[in-house]
Amino acid sequence: KEAMDNMGGFIATMTLAYKKEGRSAENDFIKARDELFSMIEKGYPLPESLNPEDRGVLVSSMINTVIKEKTANPDRVRAAIKTLGRLESDVAVPYIMEVLALEEFKSDSIQALGSIGSKSAQDLLTEELGKTTKTSVKNEIIRSLGKIGGEESLERILSLFPESSDGEFDRNMEISLLKALSSIAAGGNTDQRIFKRFEKYLTSPEKELRIIAVQGIAQFNLTRTADLLFGMLKTEKEEEVLLWIIRSVNRIGSQTTVSTLSAYLRNDGLSERVRIEIIHALGNNAGGSKALPFIVENLKSPSTEVRGAVTDALLNLYEVDGKTVTAILSRGLLTAKEEYYLIDGTAVLAKIADPGSLNTLYTLLQKPIPEVKKNVTWALFRTRTTPNARIVDELNKLVTSETEPIDVRINAARALGAIGFDSTALKVWQTMVTTAKMRGEKYTMLRLFAIRALGDLGTVNEEVISTLSGLALREDNPELKKEALSAIQKLSLLDDTVERSLVNLFKRTQEKDIQVHIVEVLGDMGSVETPGMSSTLLSGTLEHPLKIRVVYALSRTGGE
């Protein structure tokens, strides 16, 4: 993007200099043109949108280069020819014709004419095809004519095929002709002679020719096309050809595509690449949800790549039919034995975060696999479920369990905060208070989310007040200190103990953001201490964003 922006700037400079007179303008033009050429020669594309004026100057400059620098700077001339092709400039055709005869520019000139695609470009290519004897040049022209398309190109290309299959036929030319026909079909030409030509090559003994035939015949969105390609699925042995058949039938969009690919997916003898290609195809098919049982079954595969394809397919299909994806994946997970199935499947549940999976998540929480628990607790955090005593109880136990990995405990604490449910029987607040008081570097994030959960749970009692005010006053870690202040603010704790702790902390700390946070908390409380603290901060050196926060906090207290 940066390169394209720069190129746009060089073109604009050229246009501006082109309008002016004098040596200074000429120098500006040459400098910008040279910079532009340097970037074109490196392979950067031109900016996507050019206004007519810039386009005109650029075309003129490129034509001028082709005319004047054939001998002095052939590399620059090649870049100019390619650029004229990219610009699809029909006015450049006569100038390209002049260098078409020169061997060093022939290939680029043929490609540029194919990109221009005008009648004059087509006529020039057809004329050159009749004159040249070099097979490599013929192949280049054939590909360009295919790119141009149209009836004239089609007739010329069809005429180059031998009338019978006897005798020798240059293989490279055969490939070029088939690719040209594929380009013409891709342009919307439905001539049955093209279809029949591809149909003939579907049974070619050469793999590459069969692939081109599959690609070409797929341009015809016909029932017969699907039937032919489905038939090939049963007999084709080459992996590369199978991959193209699968991509092509999915593109055609036949009504039987999903059922046919689903049946094929159940074949135990499939290679890994073919299996992945089918899963991707079904995952990107609008009717792919009908194949979900067969897709999910592949989570049993020991291949990481296959399971990755299943994950992608499930996430794609969730956007189309979320309810079915959740139901079928949940059913599979509840009976799965393979550890990798459970891990990858629960990772999908965590990504989709569907409330319909809650019962499944609760059951899977009992699995003794740490990675599964990590995914399930993360899923419960993301679904932000309505209060569920069973789930809350299980999460509460996980937070305090020293036998569980720390990431499972952190996720459990986050989920409890997101659910925001407590009761006299569960006493989640007590778990969070205990966790918030833990010591040791490895517990830092667990403590942070326990403190945050205290603010989210909404339980206010003497122990919660004491814990949060103590953390705000005495905690060494500034992030935990801020989290305690946020929890106090959420709970709106108008309490003498809290107020005294915050006033003491304000006096002791030198950190401006913590002092501002304290003022915000006291402002929300309506504390009489707020004006004095605000005055101290506003009369000192304070960054503008922090000043705004202090002024707002001060406005919350009311009074003179």
Side-chain angles (χ1 to χ4, degrees):
K1 186 178 184 303
E2 182 183 345
M4 289 176 75
D5 288 343
N6 288 341
M7 292 173 87
F10 297 141
I11 294 167
T13 300
M14 288 168 64
T15 303
L16 189 63
Y18 189 77
K19 296 176 184 177
K20 297 178 180 179
E21 294 182 359
R23 182 163 296 279
S24 174
E26 184 180 347
N27 290 339
D28 289 345
F29 183 92
I30 292 169
K31 184 180 178 183
R33 183 201 62 187
D34 291 349
E35 292 277 11
L36 180 65
F37 265 118
S38 174
M39 301 193 78
I40 291 171
E41 287 165 4
K42 288 175 184 175
Y44 288 111
L46 292 169
E48 293 174 1
S49 58
L50 289 171
N51 64 53
E53 189 175 30
D54 287 347
R55 186 185 184 82
V57 170
L58 193 54
V59 167
S60 297
S61 179
M62 297 299 141
I63 289 174
N64 192 52
T65 301
V66 172
I67 293 169
K68 293 184 176 179
E69 301 192 37
K70 292 191 289 289
T71 306
N73 201 335
D75 286 341
R76 178 160 289 188
V77 171
R78 275 191 289 272
I81 293 168
K82 289 177 183 177
T83 303
L84 289 168
R86 289 173 188 164
L87 291 168
E88 299 178 8
S89 171
D90 190 31
V91 298
V93 171
Y95 304 98
I96 294 175
M97 182 172 65
E98 292 181 18
V99 293
L100 183 59
L102 301 175
E103 193 62 35
E104 59 188 321
F105 304 125
K106 191 176 287 291
S107 177
D108 290 319
S109 297
I110 291 168
Q111 289 178 36
L113 290 168
S115 297
I116 291 168
S118 64
K119 182 68 169 66
S120 58
Q122 186 181 45
D123 290 344
L124 184 54
L125 286 171
T126 304
E127 182 185 337
E128 186 67 19
L129 183 63
K131 290 192 302 186
T132 187
T133 56
K134 285 187 70 173
T135 304
S136 60
V137 176
K138 281 186 175 181
N139 290 336
E140 196 81 66
I141 295 171
I142 288 165
R143 287 193 289 270
S144 287
L145 285 172
K147 192 173 181 181
I148 292 172
E151 286 302 318
E152 192 174 327
S153 291
L154 174 60
E155 296 300 333
R156 191 73 182 91
I157 288 164
L158 287 173
S159 71
L160 295 172
F161 282 96
E163 292 184 7
S164 70
S165 55
D166 300 333
E168 291 188 7
F169 186 23
D170 182 87
R171 186 174 179 278
N172 288 330
M173 180 174 281
E174 192 171 20
I175 290 170
S176 295
L177 288 169
L178 285 173
K179 286 185 174 179
L181 286 180
S182 187
S183 295
I184 291 171
N189 193 315
T190 57
D191 194 303
Q192 284 301 298
R193 291 174 296 173
I194 304 175
F195 185 94
K196 288 176 181 177
R197 183 69 61 178
F198 287 134
E199 185 177 5
K200 173 188 170 184
Y201 275 94
L202 290 176
T203 55
S204 168
E206 291 195 48
K207 176 179 74 173
E208 187 174 1
L209 296 179
R210 293 201 303 281
I211 288 173
I212 299 169
V214 168
Q215 293 169 336
I217 209 166
Q219 305 298 333
F220 292 82
N221 195 5
L222 305 169
T223 303
R224 172 124 178 86
T225 308
D227 291 342
L228 285 168
L229 295 178
F230 288 145
M232 284 185 75
L233 276 178
K234 299 173 184 176
T235 57
E236 182 60 57
K237 303 299 180 189
E238 289 285 350
E239 185 179 79
E240 287 295 328
V241 183
L242 283 169
L243 294 175
W244 276 107
I245 293 170
I246 293 160
R247 290 167 196 157
S248 299
V249 295
N250 205 48
R251 179 183 163 280
I252 293 167
S254 166
Q255 291 183 345
T256 58
T257 296
V258 172
S259 58
T260 303
L261 291 182
S262 297
Y264 196 62
L265 186 60
R266 301 176 75 181
N267 184 347
D268 291 334
L270 295 180
S271 73
E272 187 173 299
R273 286 183 70 199
V274 170
R275 188 171 294 278
I276 289 169
E277 194 66 47
I278 295 172
I279 293 167
H280 278 316
L282 290 169
N284 288 294
N285 191 299
S289 58
K290 295 174 184 175
L292 277 167
F294 312 109
I295 295 172
V296 170
E297 187 72 13
N298 282 274
L299 282 175
K300 291 180 179 177
S301 170
S303 163
T304 305
E305 288 74 18
V306 170
R307 297 199 308 277
V310 174
T311 294
D312 291 342
L314 291 175
L315 294 175
N316 285 343
L317 292 173
Y318 184 78
E319 300 299 320
V320 179
D321 188 355
K323 189 175 180 181
T324 305
V325 170
T326 302
I328 290 176
L329 178 57
S330 295
R331 196 179 308 141
L333 283 167
L334 291 174
T335 58
K337 305 295 182 191
E338 299 83 359
E339 186 169 311
Y340 41 76
Y341 186 131
L342 289 162
I343 291 170
D344 285 23
T346 51
V348 174
L349 286 183
K351 286 176 181 176
I352 62 179
D354 191 319
S357 65
L358 286 179
N359 288 332
T360 302
L361 293 170
Y362 174 75
T363 303
L364 294 172
L365 209 50
Q366 320 302 318
K367 296 285 182 183
I369 306 166
E371 198 71 19
V372 171
K373 286 188 178 179
K374 185 180 84 170
N375 290 339
V376 172
T377 49
W378 185 243
L380 289 168
F381 163 70
R382 294 198 68 234
T383 52
R384 283 167 165 74
T385 173
T386 51
N388 183 307
R390 289 188 312 159
I391 291 175
V392 169
D393 190 34
E394 287 299 320
L395 292 170
N396 211 17
K397 291 172 187 173
L398 287 175
V399 174
T400 57
S401 175
E402 286 293 340
T403 61
E404 296 293 344
I406 194 69
D407 49 7
V408 172
R409 297 172 70 184
I410 289 169
N411 286 353
R414 294 190 74 177
L416 287 169
I419 295 168
F421 173 70
D422 202 356
S423 69
T424 53
L426 295 170
K427 291 188 178 177
V428 178
W429 69 267
Q430 203 167 59
T431 300
M432 296 303 146
V433 164
T434 303
T435 306
K437 292 177 178 178
M438 293 173 77
R439 288 289 176 263
E441 186 66 28
K442 73 173 184 175
Y443 296 120
T444 300
M445 292 307 295
L446 178 58
R447 293 178 65 205
L448 185 144
F449 288 112
I451 296 166
R452 186 173 296 177
L454 281 173
D456 293 332
L457 287 169
T459 302
V460 178
N461 58 40
E462 190 175 331
E463 196 166 349
V464 170
I465 294 170
S466 173
T467 300
L468 291 175
S469 59
L471 286 165
L473 184 60
R474 291 181 289 275
E475 174 58 47
D476 294 330
N477 186 314
E479 295 308 314
L480 297 182
K481 193 185 291 285
K482 291 175 195 173
E483 204 62 55
L485 289 169
S486 294
I488 291 169
Q489 191 172 15
K490 282 181 189 175
L491 295 173
S492 298
L493 298 178
L494 186 53
D495 178 273
D496 290 343
T497 304
V498 175
E499 190 174 31
R500 281 196 303 273
S501 296
L502 296 182
V503 171
N504 287 337
L505 177 58
F506 184 91
K507 293 174 180 175
R508 287 168 48 179
T509 187
Q510 298 301 311
E511 296 181 56
K512 295 297 182 187
D513 57 341
I514 289 179
Q515 287 182 323
V516 169
H517 207 149
I518 292 167
V519 167
E520 288 177 316
V521 176
L522 292 174
D524 279 1
M525 289 180 181
S527 170
V528 295
E529 301 289 345
T530 309
M533 292 179 176
S534 300
S535 178
T536 300
L537 287 170
L538 293 171
S539 62
T541 55
L542 197 63
E543 292 179 5
H544 188 68
L546 294 179
K547 277 188 178 181
I548 291 172
R549 288 168 58 187
V550 173
V551 171
Y552 176 74
L554 186 58
S555 75
R556 302 287 296 156
T557 61
E560 291 300 311

